[in-house]
Amino acid sequence: AQSVSQHNHHVILSEAASLELGCNYSYGGTVNLFWYVQYPGQHLQLLLKYFSGDPLVKGIKGFEAEFIKSKFSFNLRKPSVQWSDTAEYFCAVGGEDSSASKIIFGSGTRLSIRP
Amino acid sequence: KAGVTQTPRYLIKTRGQQVTLSCSPISGHRSVSWYQQTPGQGLQFLFEYFSETQRNKGNFPGRFSGRQFSNSRSEMNVSTLELGDSALYLCASSRIPGGHEQYFGPGTRLTVT
């Protein structure tokens, strides 16, 4: 069955710490991968996406993610977090056509940054 | 450029009632998708509309329905509300069908008592 797993439900870090949020998926065929962020009281917005090419993808606000096909993973990283990164992060995977109906979202990881 | 708007933002209904939620996409966007977000479940796909046609529907009961108007605005309706329908309902718009470049609205928080 197609699924997305975000094993860390809640991550607490201090400012300047490095961040890595895990995302593993089970999905047949060619995949498109996404990370979304939802800041407190704000809309869900796209952080970065991978469709093809360089498996290391850079997104907004200093975030990056690496697609490792052999591990079915698309982990999100940031070398030094800020208090303003406090938010909920969602990993999502879709098929090649990225029909909205075929995009599966993970259950989210809540990130809390201590000032 | 105005973002996706959803009305109302908050709604409290009782079991058995019905509810209609509205979504206005970004100007020029003709595709609208709806998602249900509940704690621990992430986002679950409800519908996708393009040019007034429903392209896809998620695995939800027939009590959930929707439509899209000629101006691309979309509504979703839930009849005979159940407690389990309490959730944040998100609308996302894009220029063309598909999830490549979806822009999400703030959501409608529905509470069923």
Side-chain angles (χ1 to χ4, degrees), chain B residues 48-98:
Chain B
E48 181 183 29
Y49 289 92
F50 179 72
S51 294
E52 302 176 67
T53 301
Q54 185 180 94
R55 297 184 76 243
N56 291 292
K57 183 175 179 183
N59 188 25
F60 280 83
R63 300 185 294 107
F64 290 79
S65 62
R67 58 180 175 168
Q68 186 181 34
F69 302 94
S70 58
N71 62 358
S72 296
R73 190 177 69 86
S74 177
E75 288 182 349
M76 66 164 281
N77 184 77
V78 188
S79 62
T80 320
L81 284 166
E82 300 176 0
L83 294 178
D85 297 333
S86 295
L88 181 67
Y89 290 88
L90 295 174
C91 166
S93 78
S94 55
R95 286 185 300 105
I96 57 175

Side-chain angles (χ1 to χ4, degrees), chain B residues 18-34:
Chain B
Q18 75 166 23
V19 66
T20 300
L21 312 181
S22 180
C23 170
S24 293
I26 291 172
S27 177
H29 286 193
R30 295 168 59 197
S31 180
V32 172
S33 296
W34 289 89

Side-chain angles (χ1 to χ4, degrees), chain A residues 32 34 36 38 43-44 46 49 51 90 96-101 103 105-107, chain B residues 4 33 35 37 40-43 45 48 56 88 98-102 104-106:
Chain A
N32 294 324
F34 310 83
Y36 285 87
Q38 192 169 31
H43 305 185
L44 197 67
L46 184 66
K49 60 187 178 185
F51 288 168
F90 295 91
E96 195 169 9
D97 67 356
S98 269
S99 167
S101 65
I103 294 180
F105 286 81
S107 56
Chain B
V4 178
S33 296
Y35 297 86
Q37 184 179 12
Q41 294 291 321
L43 281 77
F45 172 78
E48 181 183 29
N56 291 292
L88 181 67
H100 292 88
E101 290 284 350
Q102 290 191 101
F104 284 84

